[in-house]
Amino acid sequence: MPRYLVQFNPKQTPHFFTDILIIGAGIAGLRAALAVPRSCDVLVVTKDKIQQSNSNYAQGGIAGVLSPEDRFENHIEDTLTAGGGLCHRDVVEMVVREAPAQIATLIDWGTHFDEEHGQLALTREGGHSHRRIVHALGDATGFEVMRAIIEHARQTPNLTLWDDTFILDLLTHEGRCVGALLARPGQGKLLVWAKQTILASGGAGMVYRETTNPPVATGDGMAAAYRAGAELRDMEFIQFHPTVLYVAGSSRFLISEAVRGEGAYLRDKNLERFMLKVDPRAELAPRDIVAQAIFRQMEKTRHPNVYLDLRHLDPVLVHKRFPGIDKVCRGFGLDITTDLIPIRPGAHYMIGGVTVNPQGQTTLPGLWAAGEVTSSGLHGANRLASNSLLEGLVFGTSCGHGAAEAAERIPDTFAALPLASRFQPETEGHLDVTDITNSLRSLMVRQMGVIREQAGLEQAMSDVAFWCRYVLPRAFESRQGWELQNLLTIARLMIQSAQERTESRGVHFRADFPQRDDAHWARHVVCPAFETGIG
């Protein structure tokens, strides 16, 4: 497996220098950029338009203790309970206690959260013991939050924003990260040298056919960090959102957790409210429990989906609270106040990722990381709803501060390092990249979905290893090929980790090992170190 995706020679490649390079312009990346003092130059790059991030599509909201009936201890315990014994308490306490101040900062930057009677409107979602979720535009919180942050970032003079910029690889020299190799339309490859680099590139939901993620979520940052030698862990833990609109022609639109938080029921094709028999919290159980229950009910009834039922709720409240969901469903002839909404689980959030400490430092010096690309210890084995935007805010802030302090200790040199990639790529035969990508995504749904078992995982590993053997040694010239290489890299790590964890915990359910095993598995699964073949 080559160290770099493409060939490059520093004598023939343009160079760019910055104090801090931030890869990703979602909530974590831009929050990091805005935490850097004006004395540092910051370059923020994103591979699509700046609005195209998972953060922008977040419906539910941001969790924070803002009600007099709620306490930090309640939010902490809810997070620990959902996390299945793998959360780091110190990280959970840090993030929860910083939530009110982060929400206040967003308001100062112009975010308009929904209000009731002059106060922030708070809702409840699965796994939460209290109403503590702030939301905006009903069910378009991410859109409103990112609007405000992007506007603020564009007015900040030390920030440079590049969209349509692909992260090919992180650059390393003498055991530390020194920048990144990027690709830009019309410019080709570009070497960016940075005193400190912050990775905030998001998740890898596109490794599955059924996903709520936008097309940009192909695990590029995770794969680049892995090739650079950073540690990844807990890659078996990917959260499936229980309620994804399942209609032919739909892009698998997310139906927010907040719908169940406001009282919606789950029913099977026979109209049985099956969650009542599964968990005392019924529809408000954590996502892993609900997703697994839906999967089993689909198998039991031999039906491709179950249904969300909002018919008993106040229609005025439903239309006001969920205008985005209502609009999408109406496009398919569904009235969410009178019709049952067909749903099934879909890949939603990558819990595993690049290992970081509470300050956001990775195991690779010079590289920091925040948001969905990381494994921070906040989510454990199962993310509590609406904790992800919060994590991006808190760790983005920490990374921005820490990276700036480190960068200010390094003098300007404007010297390019003697790094090159001259491997001889495989060139024989034409590859149908689209066909391999679709085959991979289908395989992951079948064998690495909500419920897994050894025989399926072995078959998945065999297929993915076969594809890797002839896809990874190639040097592609386009984003589609690079994304396939990254998806294959991430898929292999996910399957390896799922095979290793012979128990069921949180979002990882093994039908052949259905019990949680704290005696052997109350720990992280660390991915094997990257073994470079040719450089």
Side-chain angles (χ1 to χ4, degrees), residues 341-381:
I341 312 303
I343 58 92
R344 62 180 290 161
H348 181 56
Y349 189 89
M350 193 70 195
I351 293 172
V354 181
T355 303
V356 294
N357 67 13
Q359 290 72 49
Q361 294 172 303
T362 74
T363 60
L364 178 63
L367 180 66
W368 308 69
E372 191 176 355
V373 73
T374 69
S375 170
S376 68
L378 173 64
H379 305 306

Side-chain angles (χ1 to χ4, degrees), residues 6-85:
V6 298
Q7 297 171 301
F8 67 91
N9 184 328
K11 292 182 179 180
Q12 302 165 351
T13 308
H15 300 261
F16 186 94
F17 295 86
T18 186
D19 293 319
I20 296 174
L21 169 64
I22 300 178
I23 300 164
I27 196 168
L30 290 183
R31 187 64 186 89
L34 292 168
V36 175
R38 301 289 174 89
S39 57
C40 286
D41 286 328
V42 181
L43 173 62
V44 182
V45 302
T46 180
K47 79 171 180 180
D48 208 297
K49 302 306 179 188
I50 196 169
Q51 295 85 1
Q52 291 298 312
S53 67
N54 267 349
S55 302
N56 190 67
Y57 291 94
Q59 292 181 2
I62 303 173
V65 176
L66 300 168
S67 165
E69 291 81 29
D70 200 4
R71 294 167 55 85
F72 286 133
E73 290 75 13
N74 297 330
H75 190 179
I76 290 166
E77 290 305 318
D78 291 345
T79 302
L80 294 172
T81 298

Side-chain angles (χ1 to χ4, degrees), residues 263-498:
Y265 298 149
L266 283 166
R267 299 188 185 277
D268 64 16
K269 74 169 188 177
N270 301 315
L271 300 186
E272 178 186 351
R273 194 178 159 202
F274 56 90
M275 283 304 302
L276 293 172
K277 298 178 180 178
V278 175
D279 190 281
R281 293 163 291 187
E283 285 84 2
L284 290 178
R287 289 177 176 177
D288 58 328
I289 295 173
V290 178
Q292 290 163 20
I294 291 173
F295 185 86
R296 292 191 187 94
Q297 203 69 15
M298 287 161 47
E299 285 193 327
K300 178 181 176 181
T301 59
R302 298 181 179 274
H303 198 62
N305 59 271
V306 296
Y307 299 91
L308 265 175
D309 186 1
L310 290 76
R311 297 174 299 176
H312 57 289
L313 302 179
D314 178 5
V316 175
L317 170 67
V318 169
H319 287 304
K320 178 182 178 182
R321 183 69 180 82
F322 305 112
I325 295 171
D326 179 45
K327 180 180 179 181
V328 169
C329 288
R330 283 187 180 277
F332 296 101
L334 295 170
D335 184 336
I336 62 175
T337 64
T338 60
D339 295 319
L340 294 171
I341 312 303
I343 58 92
R344 62 180 290 161
H348 181 56
Y349 189 89
M350 193 70 195
I351 293 172
V354 181
T355 303
V356 294
N357 67 13
Q359 290 72 49
Q361 294 172 303
T362 74
T363 60
L364 178 63
L367 180 66
W368 308 69
E372 191 176 355
V373 73
T374 69
S375 170
S376 68
L378 173 64
H379 305 306
N382 181 33
R383 178 179 69 94
L384 184 65
S386 290
N387 270 355
S388 54
L389 293 181
L390 176 59
E391 179 189 35
L393 290 167
V394 172
F395 275 87
T397 303
S398 181
C399 285
H401 288 156
E405 290 177 4
E408 287 175 339
R409 293 194 295 267
I410 301 174
D412 288 334
T413 59
F414 306 111
L417 296 167
L419 300 182
S421 173
R422 299 186 177 92
F423 75 95
Q424 294 301 313
E426 176 64 50
T427 58
E428 291 187 10
H430 169 73
L431 290 186
D432 188 332
V433 172
T434 299
D435 184 56
I436 301 171
T437 303
N438 290 337
S439 297
L440 171 65
R441 298 179 70 205
S442 296
L443 173 77
M444 292 295 283
V445 170
R446 293 193 308 273
Q447 312 294 15
M448 263 292 290
V450 176
I451 295 179
R452 306 149 182 183
E453 47 80 31
Q454 183 62 23
L457 293 173
E458 288 178 354
Q459 182 62 57
M461 180 56 76
S462 175
D463 290 348
V464 169
F466 175 63
W467 293 326
C468 285
R469 283 199 295 274
Y470 63 85
V471 173
L472 297 187
R474 292 188 175 242
F476 291 98
E477 296 295 330
S478 68
R479 170 174 155 177
Q480 188 183 29
W482 302 327
E483 287 178 335
L484 172 59
Q485 290 175 311
N486 290 331
L487 287 171
L488 284 169
T489 300
I490 296 305
R492 184 162 63 178
L493 295 176
M494 292 173 68
I495 297 164
Q496 285 176 336
S497 297

Side-chain angles (χ1 to χ4, degrees), residues 83-140:
L86 286 189
C87 296
H88 296 192
R89 179 177 278 274
D90 61 333
V91 172
V92 174
E93 291 183 354
M94 175 189 74
V95 173
V96 166
R97 292 183 186 278
E98 290 191 25
Q102 292 286 352
I103 292 169
T105 297
L106 292 178
I107 294 172
D108 289 343
W109 288 347
T111 304
H112 301 295
F113 290 112
D114 295 341
E115 297 184 351
E116 290 178 353
H117 312 297
Q119 302 291 322
L120 286 174
L122 302 177
T123 191
R124 183 182 173 194
E125 296 182 350
H128 288 274
S129 58
H130 293 73
R131 284 183 171 264
R132 64 169 70 101
I133 317 299
V134 295
H135 48 84
L137 305 177
D139 54 2

